[in-house]
Amino acid sequence: MGEEKGLGSRQAGKDTGPSLGRRALFIGGAAAAVSAAGLARDELGRLWWRLPGVEKDRKEGEVDFRGAQWVAASSANRRRADRPDDYRIDRVVIHVVQGSYATALRVFRDPGHGAASHYVVRKDGHIAQMIRELDVAFHAGNRAYNERSVGIEHEGFVDRASSFTDAMYRASARLTAAICTRYDIPVDREHIIGHVEVPGTDHTDPGPHWDWDRYIRLVKEARTASA
């Protein structure tokens, strides 16, 4: 999360920004009007997963990254979706908790917090998945970026270089490499960004001690090794 308020702030990743709103879908002539307005394809494509029997199969406790521990975030801190079919995934957003791994898990399970990331990485490299990549996590504080990205939290503090261990960098890099492979995301700083780079955010993470050159190199190495 990476702001002075830490995980205590509900603005940490709230799903803010332009909203789809409530759009009535009419039959016949009204449907033609919606089509003429250029809304039908995008809107219906994103709502298609909501129809009974359409959404992808889900299994309780299933994870997207092998070896991750499933620890479910509160449903209040995410939005059910069917990505990448309804929203294209083209970003990974790097966060720092401003606290411990245990703190991140606790607040992301709290329905009153209003925010959560897909993953949390501990100092020793252990990874918890809290939200399926199918779903939209409220982690970036920008609705459009929430819809298009996967969020990864890291235990630690933005002002402590000691927070970022070799085990953490390597585990996180393997995770990001897998995400980039899965969604054909380029491994570069345009597509792997810090929370501070999300438009409209007031957060500073991952901060000045996060070694971006090292991280991108590790992600590239991990992606090559798994190819």
Side-chain angles (χ1 to χ4, degrees):
M1 294 299 174
E3 62 169 354
E4 286 71 15
K5 296 179 182 178
L7 288 170
S9 170
R10 292 193 62 188
Q11 295 301 320
K14 195 173 180 181
D15 201 22
T16 57
S19 172
L20 290 177
R22 295 184 177 181
R23 300 191 186 280
L25 300 179
F26 298 98
I27 298 174
V34 170
S35 178
L39 298 173
R41 279 195 300 252
D42 287 345
E43 295 290 331
L44 291 177
R46 291 171 178 175
L47 296 175
W48 178 249
W49 64 270
R50 296 186 184 182
L51 298 178
V54 171
E55 67 178 17
K56 292 183 175 71
D57 290 337
R58 297 164 186 258
K59 296 180 181 179
E60 185 68 27
E62 190 172 42
V63 296
D64 297 299
F65 182 69
R66 181 178 297 179
Q69 174 190 6
W70 177 252
V71 184
S74 170
S75 60
N77 299 331
R78 62 167 174 82
R79 176 154 44 90
R80 198 168 175 90
D82 198 11
R83 303 190 308 169
D85 290 343
D86 48 1
Y87 297 102
R88 183 169 65 97
I89 299 174
D90 65 0
R91 294 287 189 281
V92 176
V93 180
I94 302 299
H95 301 261
V96 172
V97 172
Q98 285 297 84
S100 69
Y101 172 87
T103 296
L105 268 55
R106 176 176 55 80
V107 298
F108 290 166
R109 298 176 75 178
D110 177 3
H113 183 60
S117 289
H118 294 91
Y119 295 95
V120 182
V121 184
R122 203 165 60 194
K123 287 183 179 181
D124 63 0
H126 179 75
I127 296 173
Q129 181 168 4
M130 304 195 72
I131 297 173
R132 289 293 308 277
E133 292 173 13
L134 289 165
D135 294 330
V136 175
F138 301 162
H139 67 98
N142 178 306
R143 185 185 181 106
Y145 272 70
N146 284 344
E147 291 168 345
R148 71 192 298 180
S149 67
V150 174
I152 304 176
E153 281 282 355
H154 297 79
E155 178 179 28
F157 298 85
V158 297
D159 58 349
R160 299 180 191 174
S162 60
S163 292
F164 310 129
T165 65
D166 183 64
M168 173 184 283
Y169 272 121
R170 291 184 181 278
S172 178
R174 289 192 295 271
L175 171 58
T176 294
I179 294 167
C180 289
T181 297
R182 190 155 36 249
Y183 304 109
D184 196 25
I185 302 172
V187 178
D188 58 35
R189 287 286 286 113
E190 180 181 351
H191 297 87
I192 303 172
I193 65 173
H195 193 180
V196 66
E197 297 169 89
V198 174
T201 188
D202 60 355
H203 288 247
T204 62
D205 54 320
H209 298 296
W210 182 264
D211 190 337
W212 278 111
D213 290 340
R214 178 184 183 187
Y215 188 68
I216 295 298
R217 174 175 53 80
L218 289 171
V219 175
K220 289 179 177 178
E221 290 176 358
R223 188 168 185 177
T224 299
S226 64

